[in-house]
Amino acid sequence: MLPALSPATAFRNAPRSALVAPAAAVSESPAELQSEEQPVRGFGKRLASVSFEQPDEASLVSCRFIVPHHVTKPGQQLFLSGSSPALGEWDPARAVPMEWQEGHSHVAVVRVPASRLVQAKLVLMENGKPVYTEEGNARDLMLLPSGVSLQPGASLNSMDEESQPAAAAANPGQLDYQIMCHVGNTEATQILRLPVVLPAKDSSESGCGYSRDRRVLCKFVVMLDGIKLEPRQFPVVVGSAAELGAWNAGEGVKLMRQVGGYWTRRVELPLYEGSGDIQAKVVICNADGSPAVWEPGTTNRVLSACRSTPGGSAMHIFVCRWSQPGFTPTVCVPVQHEDASKEYVKQLDAAQKEIGMMRQAVTAKSRQVQSLESELAAVRRSERSMREEVGALRAELGQFAQEAELAAKSEMAARREVAELSEQLARVEENYERQVNFLAAKLEEMEREILSLQDQLRESGNGSSAQGAVQNQHAGQHGYSNGNGNGSGRPVTRASWR
């Protein structure tokens, strides 16, 4: 249930400031007086009709404000407050009461100024005191006078994208607009110019086994209530009828997103007398048409024709909220078919055919774009993979560079060690050479002494044995023998010693 606010501050907290103005006189319009005998199609009870005295009645349009579904407690009632005198000029005491109807819908008929901006909000009152006011911006309504018509293809500011206004005579007993409001969501406001103008009837067979004249124009208004869709996902209405795909999500009615966050689409359904009800559900589908999420709940939505309206004279609007799968409020609005003999109707038909061809071209281009997006995604994945490989190679190169730097340092240390060893070896060789030279000098000196002794021996001869013994002793000491195995018999030289 909606949060309760104190009566003194409930309306002050609304974004629109309250304006103080004299109370306007409330009287019944001729439309209300005649509604008992001729009720508005789609509603069994007489609607609450409120009008305010205006200086220029020709500048007013009759609007039916409807809240398709909102549950209230005993003692509570919805009111419509706005910037115009007809809506109380933001004074909750002068707000327009809305009549509760079966199915928890709320309706009020008000004549508001045309050709200027009118703002409105819903207010919930309990025992005559406001307890809740819609947050956010107010509803902006810019309506055309009842005697002004639009050329085919034109649209009203903030009007529903598929509505086509018709030229209507300034008749005080005729409704000019239907404004559908949803409590708590001021952006999702659908405005219809009444009656809704449709193309001329086509008597050709529909291919479903029954005439197109027996089918009823229906419109789905789906509100996802904060459900976040994945990229390229969309809601689809599927059901038991062939027009709803016969429970095949891929063949259901694909909805189009509108400003305000809601989704809509028109379709013709066999809701004529005796056809029975149609069951349906809302499904979230992926880009390829496969179902992603089915609407919660074990029961299906029931789509049935309005009892007080013949099947072919009204458009049925089915309001589907994702958070309320068990409730499908139905709102009926009158429709009017164009005269096929009018020239602009033929031009409109040609324009619609051209639009259909353009939509097919756009669909083909969209498929090409999807294919290119898939290819681009594959290229991006390949690019990411290549970048990862390049990163790995760079890491390996960094590691190799570190190893090469360590090897270079090791090489420098080895070279320094080799240089030190070379210096040590040079010093050892120099020392060895000095020692060899010293020994060579000593050997030469010894050779000279030996030669001198040999000369002395030869001069003295072999006369004395003592001298021979001395000679043998010297021969044994210096490497030569006397012929008895102690030497070679020849003197030792420096060359033979080396």
Side-chain angles (χ1 to χ4, degrees):
M1 210 57 181
L2 298 175
L5 301 178
S6 62
T9 60
F11 228 76
R12 294 178 184 176
N13 294 335
R16 308 297 181 184
S17 60
L19 301 177
V20 179
V26 180
S27 62
E28 292 184 346
S29 65
E32 183 182 7
L33 298 177
Q34 297 175 2
S35 60
E36 294 185 359
E37 298 177 358
Q38 297 178 356
V40 180
R41 291 181 176 180
F43 299 90
K45 295 184 178 181
R46 180 172 59 86
L47 303 180
S49 177
V50 181
S51 71
F52 294 83
E53 293 181 356
Q54 293 291 341
D56 187 6
E57 286 290 335
S59 63
L60 300 179
V61 289
S62 181
C63 302
R64 178 172 58 188
F65 291 86
I66 178 169
V67 177
H69 186 269
H70 182 72
V71 180
T72 56
K73 298 188 299 183
Q76 292 182 343
Q77 186 177 9
L78 280 178
F79 283 75
L80 189 66
S81 179
S83 59
S84 67
L87 298 177
E89 295 180 325
W90 301 114
D91 184 1
R94 297 164 50 199
V96 178
M98 303 189 75
E99 179 184 352
W100 181 92
Q101 294 190 349
E102 185 179 359
H104 297 285
S105 63
H106 306 264
V107 180
V109 176
V110 186
R111 292 177 60 80
V112 298
S115 302
R116 72 173 185 177
L117 181 63
V118 177
Q119 296 179 329
K121 279 191 173 185
L122 294 174
V123 181
L124 180 66
M125 292 193 182
E126 186 172 0
N127 299 323
K129 297 181 180 180
V131 295
Y132 172 78
T133 303
E134 288 181 309
E135 298 179 355
N137 296 328
R139 295 174 176 84
D140 294 333
L141 310 177
M142 179 68 76
L143 308 177
L144 291 178
S146 58
V148 178
S149 62
L150 297 180
Q151 295 297 329
S155 61
L156 292 174
N157 184 23
S158 77
M159 177 173 284
D160 188 88
E161 88 292 347
E162 293 178 339
S163 61
Q164 298 178 359
N171 183 2
Q174 180 179 355
L175 291 173
D176 298 307
Y177 290 94
Q178 175 174 280
I179 303 175
M180 185 181 299
C181 307
H182 304 277
V183 178
N185 190 351
T186 58
E187 299 295 333
T189 302
Q190 298 96 46
I191 303 175
L192 284 176
R193 183 80 177 267
L194 302 180
V196 177
V197 179
L198 302 177
K201 290 185 177 182
D202 186 5
S203 59
S204 60
E205 294 296 322
S206 63
C208 297
Y210 46 83
S211 172
R212 184 179 294 271
D213 292 339
R214 301 185 65 187
R215 301 204 303 180
V216 176
L217 178 63
C218 301
K219 179 178 179 179
F220 290 97
V221 177
V222 176
M223 305 180 68
L224 298 181
D225 294 331
I227 298 297
K228 185 177 180 181
L229 301 183
E230 297 295 332
R232 296 168 60 184
Q233 285 187 341
F234 54 88
V236 173
V237 178
V238 297
S240 57
E243 292 79 0
L244 300 181
W247 297 114
N248 183 3
E251 301 294 333
V253 178
K254 181 180 178 180
L255 304 178
M256 301 176 62
R257 193 178 189 278
Q258 307 301 326
V259 177
Y262 62 97
W263 302 72
T264 64
R265 193 63 181 270
R266 286 184 180 181
V267 64
E268 291 183 342
L269 298 177
L271 288 176
Y272 53 89
E273 184 178 358
S275 62
D277 297 334
I278 297 177
Q279 295 186 351
K281 267 187 176 295
V282 181
V283 184
I284 304 298
C285 292
N286 298 317
D288 57 356
S290 60
V293 182
W294 283 78
E295 191 174 16
T298 57
T299 59
N300 301 325
R301 297 183 180 274
V302 179
L303 311 179
S304 57
C306 296
R307 297 179 181 178
S308 59
T309 304
S313 61
M315 179 175 69
H316 292 54
I317 302 177
F318 298 107
V319 181
C320 307
R321 299 186 70 111
W322 186 272
S323 59
Q324 299 174 355
F327 298 94
T328 308
T330 305
V331 179
C332 293
V333 295
V335 297
Q336 175 182 340
H337 291 272
E338 288 285 2
D339 187 0
S341 61
K342 294 182 180 180
E343 184 64 25
Y344 77 87
V345 175
K346 297 180 181 179
Q347 296 177 1
L348 180 61
D349 292 339
Q352 288 178 348
K353 292 180 181 179
E354 185 177 357
I355 291 174
M357 296 176 61
M358 293 177 65
R359 285 181 177 176
Q360 293 178 359
V362 170
T363 302
K365 292 296 183 181
S366 299
R367 292 176 181 174
Q368 293 180 3
V369 170
Q370 293 177 2
S371 177
L372 292 176
E373 288 178 351
S374 301
E375 294 179 2
L376 179 60
V379 170
R380 287 178 176 175
R381 289 193 296 269
S382 177
E383 180 183 3
R384 286 196 298 269
S385 177
M386 294 179 65
R387 286 182 178 179
E388 292 176 356
E389 293 180 1
V390 169
L393 290 176
R394 286 180 177 176
E396 293 181 1
L397 288 176
Q399 185 177 0
F400 289 158
Q402 293 178 357
E403 294 178 356
E405 184 178 359
L406 293 176
K409 293 180 179 179
S410 301
E411 182 182 2
M412 293 296 295
R415 287 183 178 181
R416 286 194 296 270
E417 185 176 357
V418 168
E420 293 176 358
L421 292 175
S422 299
E423 293 177 357
Q424 292 179 5
L425 180 61
R427 289 194 297 269
V428 169
E429 287 180 353
E430 184 179 359
N431 188 20
Y432 176 74
E433 187 67 24
R434 285 196 300 268
Q435 293 179 2
V436 169
N437 293 335
F438 175 76
L439 292 176
K442 294 295 287 183
L443 286 174
E444 289 179 354
E445 183 180 357
M446 292 176 66
E447 286 178 355
R448 287 194 297 270
E449 292 179 358
I450 290 173
L451 291 175
S452 176
L453 291 175
Q454 288 178 352
D455 292 339
Q456 291 178 6
L457 288 175
R458 280 195 298 271
E459 290 178 355
S460 62
N462 296 324
S464 172
S465 59
Q467 295 178 350
V470 172
Q471 183 178 1
N472 291 335
Q473 184 179 3
H474 282 285
Q477 293 177 355
H478 296 286
Y480 64 91
S481 174
N482 56 2
N484 295 325
N486 296 328
S488 60
R490 59 183 181 85
V492 178
T493 64
R494 178 181 179 183
S496 62
W497 178 81
R498 284 188 175 182

